[in-house]
Amino acid sequence: MRDVARAAGVSQATASRVLNGSIRNVRQENVDRVLAAAAELDYTPHLSAQAIARGSTNTAALVVSGVDDPYFSSIAGGVTEAAEAAGLIVTMAVADRSPERELQIVRTLRGMRPRAIILAGSRIDDPGTRDALAQELDAYREAGGSVVLISQHDLPFHTVSIDNYGGARQLARALVGLGYRRFAMVRAHVGLKTSRDRCDGFMDGLGEFNIDIEERFVVKAEFNRRGGSAAARELVRRGLDGTELVFAVNDVMAIGVMTAFRDAGLVPGQDVAVAGFDDIGPAVDVVPELTSVTVPLRRVGLHAMELALSDDHASRIVPVSTNVVLRGSTPRR
Amino acid sequence: MRDVARAAGVSQATASRVLNGSIRNVRQENVDRVLAAAAELDYTPHLSAQAIARGSTNTAALVVSGVDDPYFSSIAGGVTEAAEAAGLIVTMAVADRSPERELQIVRTLRGMRPRAIILAGSRIDDPGTRDALAQELDAYREAGGSVVLISQHDLPFHTVSIDNYGGARQLARALVGLGYRRFAMVRAHVGLKTSRDRCDGFMDGLGEFNIDIEERFVVKAEFNRRGGSAAARELVRRGLDGTELVFAVNDVMAIGVMTAFRDAGLVPGQDVAVAGFDDIGPAVDVVPELTSVTVPLRRVGLHAMELALSDDHASRIVPVSTNVVLRGSTPRR
DNA sequence: TTGAAAGCGGTACCAC
DNA sequence: GTGGTACCGCTTTCAA
């Protein structure tokens, strides 16, 4: 920038004014000269320098637990869209591996002094790590940052809350309404609150009709497609034994379940019904189309970013409702 | 940091040494004091400040044309994995909208002074914008940055080159080998080099057997699932007229094609075969499983990052080979 | 309207 | 080993 100023024959202060900041108090002639010089020298403002001088960045950080997963990539899509609209650059980190990793990521990200940190799908449940995370986030907010959680922690921060419990409960009711009585469930490990809420909702929904699921028909697996397949194989191994419908706590798992069933010679929707949760795009590409619970993922991302930018100091909770969609994978019995 | 130094009773220089930099030339006692003070004050180094002082960041930028697309999210997964391993933070931007947008993004990203800028799936083909992009990237490299392109431009930068042409050609051969003779093709607009290469390869592959595709059986559509569906509907409208197989230039389009066919009362694989390209995860979840050409997307991302970090000055090209996988959607005739 | 100069939060060279 | 100090690239008073 010094070079630009020199080339334009003005002071650096003036150059700064026209290149960024308030153009209005600069004589037109100088504006032009500076702009010309900048173009000539192919000048790009050094964002870090700006950040340090201004005391604030135009960055937002997003932590997901996997980009490959349509669930997160849809949310990421919403977040980036909103960020872009607000003129923010988004930095994305994948915490997949472990809670420790997530904690470390947040710590690093904090160093960038982003305007906001958005956490989607954290898997932290271990009290120790969880407190450490909370403290880290708190310190960040203390320093002026804005924190948004997407449907997970019960921590005192802005939260976009997906109605996992309610959606699953509605789903259970709807399925019973279709005539199903004997269920199996594919879930993730207990540490994952999203999975837990969906299970609880589903169970309670069935409970309304005095239906229960036997222990042996509840199988835990990884929270992804592979996990779904593995769980389905496990169910087949244990013996489906009259099970009419398998509920998987998310669509990618449900799709894995369907594929594994097919591989085992069972026709999904016919021999055994399958239902999932999230209503991700591919849900309608499989055969039969997957019954699920719609979660407006992209919108969740948008909301998260909006929340992040609204400088409400009180930690708000934005609820996002879910909606059952019945499709071919759960025909009326 | 000044506070930390003061609290520890040492100079800021020493604090800097222990917090970052070389710990070895500091007396153990002071190391401990500084560390303690830092923990107490919940100190986090200001990355921007470090960047400006050191003259370099630990950031890498990734530009994709859509996060929702499994193609890009797989690549993004690879990139972030490699970045993480190298201790880099990745900044992701979505250029979806337009070439101008992409150009603008690169310009902004450049301001962050990332170590590398990785461009995946750019859609720029308009000579004007394209040159502007090239110039922008060149200036960036001139300033010490490292540029990596993923399978698209023929620009003088590091490139991870996916063998689109060869893969499509192999696919064509394999399909003819299965007994197919009458083809239709679903492609994106001409500006998209990836699509173009795949079309060319496929055509040339058929050409080896003196098979051609009539103009009316080639339909252009958006490079996504919706585009695929629309194209399939268009084909049905025009009259399939004996078409035995539809080749879509990527899997998401192919999946869209299958779903649309099914909606039109046609059974994919039976009434009309379908083949795609990329071999994304969901390819094996649809029924029948989709014949495709495997592209090791995640690995592509890893390679890209490696290329970015290898400070080879000569612009290298890393070829990534592709591999035909025949599945149920294209049964032997 | 413009320029000089004092930072912003660190790093690193240099002398002690 | 340690501290003083000159920057890094830019913003923003403050005076002129």
Side-chain angles (χ1 to χ4, degrees):
Chain A
M1 175 164 151
R2 204 182 37 236
D3 299 342
V4 173
R6 196 169 302 160
V10 300
S11 76
Q12 195 177 320
T14 299
S16 172
R17 282 189 270 257
V18 8
L19 258 13
N20 315 294
S22 43
I23 320 179
R24 42 175 198 265
N25 329 329
V26 181
R27 204 191 318 158
Q28 184 57 41
E29 185 195 327
N30 281 336
V31 173
D32 297 340
R33 299 170 60 119
V34 171
L35 255 24
E40 177 60 32
L41 274 61
D42 209 345
Y43 168 82
T44 311
H46 193 303
L47 264 30
S48 291
Q50 288 194 156
I52 192 182
R54 293 214 249 252
S56 76
T57 62
N58 54 338
T59 302
L62 172 65
V63 185
V64 296
S65 34
V67 246
D68 279 18
D69 191 324
Y71 178 85
F72 293 112
S73 54
S74 296
I75 291 179
V79 169
T80 50
E81 183 182 333
E84 187 180 299
L88 296 180
I89 292 178
V90 8
T91 278
M92 199 179 73
V94 184
D96 216 11
R97 334 276 212 95
S98 67
E100 291 77 36
R101 175 72 194 136
E102 178 169 28
L103 182 56
Q104 189 204 331
I105 284 177
V106 170
R107 202 161 282 160
T108 307
L109 253 27
R110 198 144 89 77
M112 299 189 71
R113 303 290 189 274
R115 283 252 247 280
I117 294 183
I118 298 176
L119 252 43
S122 159
R123 311 202 160 181
I124 294 196
D125 212 65
D126 163 61
T129 325
R130 181 199 166 96
D131 287 351
L133 214 217
Q135 190 197 325
E136 195 72 29
L137 291 176
D138 213 57
Y140 169 68
R141 187 172 47 183
E142 226 35 60
S146 159
V147 176
V148 179
L149 269 19
I150 292 181
S151 180
Q152 55 207 339
H153 295 299
D154 308 311
L155 297 179
F157 299 103
H158 289 319
T159 301
V160 176
S161 172
I162 297 171
D163 188 15
N164 290 312
Y165 177 88
R169 187 157 182 165
Q170 293 284 3
L171 177 64
R173 285 187 193 132
L175 294 174
V176 172
L178 287 178
Y180 291 95
R181 295 293 178 272
R182 310 185 60 175
F183 298 85
M185 189 152 73
V186 173
R187 56 172 302 168
H189 68 275
V190 204
L192 235 184
K193 187 158 183 308
T194 299
S195 166
R196 219 165 49 219
D197 289 348
R198 292 175 181 184
C199 287
D200 292 349
F202 197 76
M203 285 301 209
D204 289 354
L206 294 184
E208 295 175 20
F209 302 91
N210 295 311
I211 298 173
D212 197 13
I213 302 183
E214 274 182 61
E215 190 67 33
R216 65 179 172 133
F217 291 132
V218 175
V219 11
K220 278 199 223 19
E222 279 181 78
F223 203 46
N224 55 34
R225 185 183 171 288
R226 261 216 326 267
S229 300
R233 281 193 299 272
E234 175 64 15
L235 277 172
V236 170
R237 203 184 58 69
R238 292 187 192 173
L240 246 25
D241 212 10
T243 297
E244 298 162 351
L245 185 149
V246 177
F247 167 58
V249 293
N250 74 17
D251 283 354
V252 287
M253 291 180 95
I255 289 173
V257 167
M258 286 178 65
T259 302
F261 275 161
R262 207 160 31 232
D263 290 346
L266 295 167
V267 179
Q270 195 168 307
D271 297 328
V272 52
V274 178
F277 203 113
D278 286 339
D279 195 21
I280 57 177
V284 297
D285 290 321
V286 296
V287 181
E289 296 188 357
L290 184 64
T291 284
S292 188
V293 179
T294 300
V295 179
L297 266 2
R298 194 175 185 81
R299 198 127 48 78
V300 166
L302 292 172
H303 280 323
M305 200 62 218
E306 281 165 14
L307 252 187
L309 297 180
S310 81
D311 40 25
D312 251 330
H313 196 67
S315 66
R316 288 206 304 154
I317 293 186
V318 173
V320 170
S321 61
T322 52
N323 204 257
V324 175
V325 268
L326 299 175
R327 301 205 180 93
S329 69
T330 58
R332 178 175 292 283
R333 285 184 68 84
Chain B
M1 176 164 152
R2 202 181 41 235
D3 299 344
V4 173
R6 195 170 301 161
V10 301
S11 76
Q12 195 178 320
T14 299
S16 173
R17 281 190 271 257
V18 11
L19 260 12
N20 314 294
S22 43
I23 320 180
R24 43 175 197 267
N25 326 331
V26 181
R27 203 191 318 157
Q28 186 58 42
E29 186 195 328
N30 282 336
V31 173
D32 296 341
R33 299 171 59 119
V34 171
L35 254 24
E40 177 61 32
L41 276 59
D42 210 345
Y43 168 82
T44 310
H46 193 303
L47 264 30
S48 291
Q50 288 193 156
I52 192 181
R54 294 214 248 251
S56 76
T57 62
N58 53 337
T59 302
L62 172 64
V63 184
V64 297
S65 35
V67 245
D68 280 19
D69 191 323
Y71 179 84
F72 293 113
S73 53
S74 296
I75 291 179
V79 169
T80 50
E81 183 181 332
E84 187 180 300
L88 296 181
I89 293 178
V90 9
T91 279
M92 200 179 73
V94 183
D96 215 11
R97 334 275 213 94
S98 67
E100 291 77 36
R101 174 74 194 135
E102 178 168 28
L103 182 56
Q104 189 204 330
I105 284 177
V106 170
R107 202 162 282 161
T108 307
L109 253 27
R110 200 144 87 77
M112 300 189 70
R113 304 290 189 273
R115 285 251 247 279
I117 293 182
I118 299 176
L119 254 41
S122 159
R123 308 200 164 184
I124 293 195
D125 212 63
D126 162 62
T129 325
R130 181 199 167 95
D131 286 353
L133 214 217
Q135 189 197 326
E136 195 72 29
L137 291 175
D138 213 57
Y140 169 67
R141 186 172 49 184
E142 225 36 58
S146 159
V147 176
V148 179
L149 269 19
I150 293 182
S151 182
Q152 55 207 335
H153 295 300
D154 307 311
L155 297 178
F157 299 103
H158 289 321
T159 300
V160 176
S161 170
I162 298 171
D163 188 15
N164 290 310
Y165 177 88
R169 187 158 182 164
Q170 293 283 2
L171 177 63
R173 284 187 194 134
L175 295 174
V176 171
L178 288 178
Y180 291 94
R181 294 293 178 270
R182 311 185 59 174
F183 298 85
M185 188 152 72
V186 173
R187 54 172 302 169
H189 68 274
V190 204
L192 236 183
K193 187 159 184 310
T194 300
S195 166
R196 220 166 47 219
D197 288 348
R198 291 176 182 183
C199 286
D200 292 349
F202 196 76
M203 285 300 209
D204 289 353
L206 296 184
E208 294 176 20
F209 303 91
N210 295 312
I211 298 174
D212 197 13
I213 303 183
E214 274 181 61
E215 189 67 34
R216 62 177 174 136
F217 291 131
V218 175
V219 11
K220 277 198 213 48
E222 280 182 76
F223 203 48
N224 55 34
R225 187 182 169 289
R226 262 216 326 266
S229 300
R233 281 194 298 274
E234 174 65 14
L235 277 172
V236 171
R237 201 183 60 69
R238 290 186 193 172
L240 247 23
D241 211 10
T243 297
E244 297 163 351
L245 185 149
V246 177
F247 166 58
V249 292
N250 75 15
D251 283 354
V252 287
M253 292 181 94
I255 289 174
V257 166
M258 286 179 64
T259 301
F261 275 160
R262 207 158 33 232
D263 289 347
L266 295 168
V267 178
Q270 193 167 310
D271 297 328
V272 53
V274 177
F277 205 113
D278 285 339
D279 195 22
I280 57 177
V284 297
D285 290 322
V286 295
V287 181
E289 297 188 357
L290 184 64
T291 285
S292 188
V293 180
T294 300
V295 179
L297 265 2
R298 193 176 186 80
R299 198 128 47 78
V300 166
L302 292 171
H303 280 322
M305 199 64 217
E306 280 165 14
L307 253 187
L309 297 179
S310 80
D311 40 25
D312 250 330
H313 197 67
S315 65
R316 288 205 304 155
I317 293 186
V318 173
V320 169
S321 61
T322 53
N323 204 259
V324 175
V325 269
L326 299 174
R327 301 206 180 94
S329 70
T330 57
R332 177 174 295 283
R333 287 183 69 83

